[in-house]
Amino acid sequence: MKKKLIAGNWKMNGSFAANEALVNGLLTNLGTPACEMALCVPSIYLAQMQALLVGSEIDLGAQDVSQHEGGAFTGEISGAMLKEFGVRYVLVGHSERRQYHFETDALVAAKAQRALACGVTPIVCVGETLTEREAGMTEEVVKRQLAAVIHANGHCISEIVVAYEPVWAIGTGKTASAEQAQQVHAVLRAQLKAASAQADRIHILYGGSMNAANAAQLLAQADIDGGLVGGASLKAPDFLSIIASAL
Ligand code: 13P
């Protein structure tokens, strides 16, 4: 059975001093966790984090990647650059990028494709808004978002990680119940299975107000293979407690 994956998404948080304190707090008290771990940090701190995490069991992740290979794209960061900094994972299609940066399904799929081409594992985020859930459109939305990535990536699809993050649960303290989350994860798993014979190896993470109190129940669900943790990943004791519940 594959190990679970617990990934922190720091979003736009951090400073040299805070990053060092947080990583020290994690590494000092990590013990021997049963799961795989990653921290997706602001790109400007990748060099610092690469040095802080070297030799540890925590993998380095970024929060975005350009869909382009290189060239005249001011402000963008390429997959090859991420790879050079030892980045193993990159978030693509986080709802905050879909919402505030108008990222479309096609763009997210192209970013996933570029990450894979550079040997960086894309963590493809999908999830419905509250309005979409209330309109009974949850399945339709997440399937459409994932279908774009499947279509663009063909047989490489077994190399991705998927994160189901209901938008209404992000940063709101409202978590999807374990049953609600499992229901959507099962839909995503079936969609991945239809696309790849190796779909069982794909991690499907849950994200959205995951914390020390609710992690164990969510992670006990059959198709929840880990977590994508925002706020609670910024506090070492909380993140360690989530890691400890990922058995
Ligand atoms: P919170 O855990 O803060 O709700 O954020 C979830 C998230 O967006 C992780 O990518």
Side-chain angles (χ1 to χ4, degrees), residues 4 7 17-19 94 100 107 109 123 133 147 152 169 175 178 182 187 189 196-197 213 221 225 230 239 246:
K4 291 197 165 23
N19 302 347
H94 191 281
Y100 307 131
L107 177 60
I123 300 180
R133 173 161 282 266
T175 322
Q182 166 57 29
V187 167
R189 178 84 65 204
S196 164
Q221 303 303 308
D225 306 313
F239 197 53

Side-chain angles (χ1 to χ4, degrees), residues 7-9 11 91 94-96 125 165 169-173 207-211 228-233:
N9 173 10
K11 309 193 178 186
L91 303 178
H94 191 281
S95 64
E96 287 148 18
C125 304
E165 298 206 309
I170 295 177
T172 57
S209 298
M210 185 181 264
N211 58 39
L228 182 55
V229 186
S233 73

Side-chain angles (χ1 to χ4, degrees), residues 88-150:
R88 165 125 190 238
Y89 298 102
V90 61
L91 303 178
V92 297
H94 191 281
S95 64
E96 287 148 18
R97 297 215 52 94
R98 292 180 191 262
Q99 189 180 347
Y100 307 131
H101 300 270
F102 312 107
E103 293 198 2
T104 61
D105 293 341
L107 177 60
V108 172
K111 288 185 172 197
Q113 199 170 15
R114 189 96 301 277
L116 285 169
C118 295
V120 177
T121 301
I123 300 180
V124 176
C125 304
V126 300
E128 82 287 2
T129 62
L130 185 58
T131 315
E132 289 164 341
R133 173 161 282 266
E134 286 175 349
M137 289 167 61
T138 299
E139 264 194 41
E140 180 187 330
V141 169
V142 297
K143 283 170 90 170
R144 188 202 70 224
Q145 292 172 333
L146 185 57
V149 178
I150 291 174

